[in-house]
Structures are given as structure tokens and as C-alpha cells.
Amino acid sequence: NSDIYNLEQAKSLAKIQAQSFIENRLRQLKKWPSLPHPPLVTLSLNAEFLGSTWSEGCYWLEQILRLAADKAKQLRVTTPDKFAQYSSSFPLAVPNSSSWLDGGFAERLINNSNNWVINYINISNKHFYEMAKTSDPTPLQVESINQALRELLLAQSSDWPLMLSVGENSTIARKKLRNYLIAFNKLYEDFLDGRVDIESLRSLQSREPIFEGLDYRQFFRQR
């Protein structure tokens, strides 16, 4: 029974909200004490809402980036790799465990229906770090490690344990998880054997073309 979605009105409101967001970040930065490096603000978004339940969310994010570019002397968008150039070490920060789901904790994501997922993910994380620490990988090995990271990122989606928890499309969730983890394990085992199955790699790259420009070396640098 809602009114027809008005794109122009939505864009106008999103632009106002983006301006307010940037202004609040600038005020926030002014309150911080002097630091040996530029202060860093992390914007965490549940990307599945952008363009879906928050229809103008993508436009809002575009405005955030444009406004940040206009105020580059005060505020700029960066990457972990670029920010790490300011120092060889930063204080360790451990975020609180929380969730946007019921109660603010992760009981929907880790319970008797799906707690096996986190075990497999943790093992795969450790295996991926073994791959990422490789010195002087060949171009083909870089492709293999990047694809392993794609498979791992896809397996880590909160959709799968959530679907298992609520019993909605649980068969699909198990199948997706199984496919991603099997693909990751094959890449990892081939890597340990010092080889790359080119045919299998190309098949995976075409099957899941997400994050086409992903380069694990931007996030996992040899120190």
C-alpha cells in the first residue's frame, strides 16, 4: 500500500543525507587529538541493502565518494594498503563481537543448525594465509591465490548460515557452501603440490567472475 517510488525525490533525499554524513565526519575528525598519522574512519556497510531494500543506497554511496573528492584536503577515501604506508606498525584494535540480527549478537549465525560452517571457514582462512605468504609467486600462482580468495569471500557470506538457521532454502545454502569450499580446497592442495590446474582455474574464474580486479597483494603485503 506504499506510494509509487519516486526516483528523483529519493535521489534528492540521498544527496542531503550524504552531505550530512560528510559534515558529521569532518566534525568527528576535528575532535580527535593529534596523531602521528592521519586519523582513519571506517565505514562499514551491509552491501546487500544497497539498491535493494535501500533502493537509492548506491546513489547515496556515489554522493559520499564525490563529496569526499571535493573535500580532498580535509577528507579522502583510501585503501588499507595506502594507509599502511604511514607507519610500519599500528596499535591493535579488536572490535566487539556483534551482529545486526536479533539481540545484536551472532546466535542466528552460529547455532546448532550451522555451527559447522565457522569451523570450515577458520581452517580455510589459515590455509589461505599459507598461500598469501608465498614469496615471489609466478603470475599463474597469483591468479590461483586470487581465485582462492574469491572462493573464500563467497563462502564467508552471512547469507548461508542465516539461511541454514531459519530453514529457508537451506539446501541451496549447503550446496553453495560446499561448492565454494571444495573449489578453495582444490586450489589450496594444487598450490601445495606446486602446480596450477589451468583448466580448472579458468572454469572457476568464469563461474564466479565477481571481484574481477581483486589482487590479494593489496591486502597481504610481505613485511
Side-chain angles (χ1 to χ4, degrees):
N1 296 324
S2 60
D3 294 333
I4 294 175
Y5 183 77
N6 188 309
L7 179 60
E8 293 308 315
Q9 288 182 4
K11 283 187 173 182
S12 177
L13 181 59
K15 193 168 186 177
I16 292 172
Q17 292 171 336
Q19 290 171 340
S20 175
F21 181 87
I22 292 295
E23 289 170 2
N24 284 327
R25 298 293 70 72
L26 291 173
R27 279 195 287 269
Q28 180 184 11
L29 293 175
K30 288 180 181 179
K31 293 180 180 180
W32 284 3
S34 177
L35 297 172
H37 54 75
L40 177 67
V41 176
T42 302
L43 169 59
S44 299
L45 293 172
N46 193 334
E48 69 173 303
F49 293 144
L50 301 183
S52 58
T53 51
W54 185 15
S55 300
E56 65 276 11
C58 294
Y59 182 78
W60 174 86
L61 183 57
E62 177 188 348
Q63 296 308 303
I64 292 291
L65 298 173
R66 290 185 182 278
L67 289 169
D70 290 340
K71 299 183 180 294
K73 292 184 178 180
Q74 303 166 276
L75 180 72
R76 68 177 59 186
V77 178
T78 189
T79 61
D81 188 59
K82 289 182 179 178
F83 190 75
Q85 295 175 4
Y86 288 104
S87 176
S88 59
S89 62
F90 291 94
L92 179 64
V94 180
N96 290 328
S97 177
S98 63
S99 167
W100 60 272
L101 292 166
D102 318 26
F105 295 95
E107 61 180 331
R108 278 289 188 99
L109 301 176
I110 305 177
N111 55 59
N112 290 336
S113 69
N114 58 24
N115 53 17
W116 57 270
V117 175
I118 191 67
N119 293 327
Y120 283 102
I121 294 296
N122 284 339
I123 292 171
S124 298
N125 282 335
K126 293 177 182 178
H127 290 168
F128 174 77
Y129 279 112
E130 290 181 40
M131 301 174 73
K133 290 190 295 184
T134 302
S135 300
D136 301 320
T138 66
L140 203 54
Q141 284 179 319
V142 169
E143 283 193 61
S144 178
I145 299 173
N146 283 337
Q147 188 60 36
L149 181 54
R150 289 188 190 96
E151 301 295 337
L152 186 54
L153 289 171
L154 288 164
Q156 289 180 18
S157 170
S158 62
D159 288 342
W160 316 132
L162 183 59
M163 290 162 68
L164 291 170
S165 182
V166 300
E168 178 182 336
N169 297 319
S170 55
T171 301
I172 294 175
R174 288 191 185 91
K175 181 179 179 181
K176 288 285 189 180
L177 273 165
R178 180 177 181 273
N179 288 344
Y180 296 139
L181 290 170
I182 287 176
F184 174 87
N185 285 335
K186 175 168 173 46
L187 290 163
Y188 171 68
E189 290 170 3
D190 286 349
F191 196 86
L192 290 183
D193 292 339
R195 63 188 183 89
V196 176
D197 184 336
I198 299 178
E199 183 178 352
S200 175
L201 176 60
R202 295 290 179 256
S203 175
L204 290 174
Q205 289 171 332
S206 62
R207 186 190 76 182
E208 299 288 1
I210 193 170
F211 311 130
E212 183 178 357
L214 180 68
D215 186 344
Y216 79 96
R217 294 169 297 185
Q218 294 179 340
F219 303 95
F220 303 92
R221 297 196 307 166
Q222 294 293 331
R223 294 289 184 181

